Amino acid sequence: MRVAAVMVALALGTSAAAAGCGGSEGPPTWVKPGVYRGTVGTQAVNLAIRKEGTDLTGAYFYERRKVDLPLTLGRRGETLVAQEEVWSGPEAGLKVTGCLTLAPNGAGLKGQWRRPDGGQPLPVTLAPLEVTRLPLNLPDSPGLRKLRTSDPLAFLKLNRPWVPSPDRTSIREPLTGLTYPRVPGGSAALNAALQDRQLLHAAYALGCRSQLGDAPAGGDGYTLTARVTFRRPQLLSVTENAGYYCGGAHPEAFDVGLILDRASGREVPVTAIWPGLTAPRLNSLYLARVKAEADCREALTDRAPTFTANLTPAGLAVTPTGLPHVVFACAQTIILPYASLRAWADPKGPYFRDLYSR
């Protein structure tokens, strides 16, 4: 998804020197990737240093706010200088809002935080945090375990009890407010897969919030609507509509259709149901049914878009993906009735009975 790479790049800072805090480029050699928990003054914080390519980058957040502050890492002799930077909009760019100077303290770090323009410094004490040993406060799932290692700061924010709806058909993640469906009585694997989709979007939303910094929002940050569109003994289908404005030139949006095996929770590709529904054939069927203006039809024909798809009671819903912003409005969803696809289905496949009578 396009939003992910942009968010990660800003959330983790850059390899430029921490010049605004009086540091030179590149952290001291003793600095290694790791996660720390401690205090800045009296405020509880969590800080992560990680390797991105050949560079070490960092970010930290205050427990009371839970918004990542990117850190550019530099040095002053053998002291680590971590320059806190906040995005202030396209015109102002990154603004230096704090300077952390840290040195080894046993297995942890110790130093101070000060404003870039001076003022009374605050003491900083950080101890190493073994995130992989922390208990899971949500149902165990592959995505939750992956998040714990790939993005420990997001894990620390999201690994807290979520709020089920009274009928248990959806759950709200309280920090971002994003809600996602669940299937009461469904398999543990299926509900774990649904949780992992929600985790992914919640991590995107946190990255968007960090990327906005103190720039005018100009929108709602990150929004998500997800709903079940099809439910049969073997298959469940969900459609996701996400929109975000994270400080760029304009808002963006994307749609995702999911077809899931209800027993295993795994995604089911369209070709597992309709082996004969090749990409060129799907493109031809889409263009034959879509009612588009000349400009959109030309854009869709020239670009040969990829598609995301979900099941509905009326047929297979197909939506173009990856279109540039200038022609994003051309991404109409069309429905291909199941009867029109039957010739390409596998009558011996495990999902045939969910869609057709033999």
Side-chain angles (χ1 to χ4, degrees):
M1 296 178 189
R2 292 168 294 170
V3 66
V6 176
M7 290 179 177
V8 170
L10 255 171
L12 295 174
T14 72
S15 60
C21 293
S24 57
E25 187 166 358
T29 56
W30 57 263
V31 178
K32 306 296 181 187
V35 183
Y36 300 86
R37 174 172 283 172
T39 55
V40 173
T42 60
Q43 298 292 324
V45 298
N46 295 274
L47 182 147
I49 297 172
R50 62 183 297 176
K51 194 167 185 177
E52 288 290 311
T54 59
D55 297 323
L56 288 175
T57 59
Y60 81 117
F61 71 87
Y62 288 83
E63 280 283 354
R64 61 184 174 85
R65 292 193 62 218
K66 295 184 175 61
V67 177
D68 281 0
L69 297 168
L71 297 172
T72 293
L73 306 183
R75 66 189 299 162
R76 191 181 304 134
E78 287 302 304
T79 298
L80 170 63
V81 178
Q83 181 171 289
E84 175 188 309
E85 298 168 339
V86 172
W87 181 249
S88 298
E91 294 183 3
L94 286 172
K95 179 175 67 177
V96 179
T97 53
C99 301
L100 286 157
T101 52
L102 301 167
N105 180 41
L109 302 172
K110 193 171 185 178
Q112 64 179 27
W113 178 97
R114 64 172 177 82
R115 297 185 183 278
D117 56 358
Q120 185 67 29
L122 299 174
V124 178
T125 303
L126 299 168
L129 179 63
E130 294 290 341
V131 179
T132 56
R133 296 185 179 181
L134 294 177
L136 301 179
N137 295 319
L138 296 169
D140 196 351
S141 69
L144 185 60
R145 289 183 176 274
K146 180 179 179 181
L147 187 70
R148 186 162 60 174
T149 56
S150 65
D151 193 346
L153 293 188
F155 172 82
L156 290 171
K157 299 186 197 85
L158 297 172
N159 182 41
R160 300 162 191 257
W162 293 1
V163 184
S165 62
D167 61 1
R168 303 277 172 172
T169 59
S170 67
I171 290 185
R172 181 175 62 87
E173 193 289 302
L175 185 57
T176 63
L178 300 185
T179 299
Y180 206 91
R182 294 295 189 275
V183 179
S187 71
L190 176 62
N191 281 312
L194 298 174
Q195 174 179 281
D196 285 349
R197 292 299 303 177
Q198 189 170 5
L199 272 171
L200 183 68
H201 286 287
Y204 286 165
L206 293 177
C208 186
R209 186 177 298 177
S210 172
Q211 189 174 337
L212 278 171
D214 61 4
D220 297 321
Y222 192 98
T223 61
L224 173 69
T225 300
R227 59 188 180 87
V228 173
T229 60
F230 186 88
R231 192 192 309 252
R232 292 291 188 275
Q234 304 299 322
L235 292 170
L236 183 89
S237 201
V238 176
T239 184
E240 302 174 348
N241 310 108
Y244 59 96
Y245 178 84
C246 307
H250 43 67
E252 294 279 5
F254 62 91
D255 300 317
V256 176
L258 296 171
I259 305 172
L260 302 174
D261 183 293
R262 290 193 59 164
S264 68
R266 295 191 183 96
E267 287 194 44
V268 177
V270 168
T271 51
I273 306 172
W274 297 280
L277 193 57
T278 61
R281 182 167 284 152
L282 182 60
N283 189 48
S284 296
L285 290 171
Y286 180 86
L287 290 175
R289 285 185 173 268
V290 70
K291 295 179 180 179
E293 299 293 335
D295 288 348
C296 276
R297 182 167 290 278
E298 181 180 354
L300 291 166
T301 303
D302 290 346
R303 297 180 183 278
T306 56
F307 296 93
T308 188
N310 61 282
L311 304 173
T312 75
L316 181 69
V318 180
T319 307
T321 62
L323 295 177
H325 181 79
V326 67
V327 292
F328 183 78
C330 297
Q332 299 179 41
T333 299
I334 62 104
I335 303 293
L336 299 175
Y338 295 128
S340 69
L341 303 176
R342 182 164 183 158
W344 298 299
D346 177 9
K348 297 181 180 179
Y351 308 116
F352 188 83
R353 285 188 179 276
D354 272 10
L355 301 169
Y356 305 103
S357 60
R358 295 184 188 271

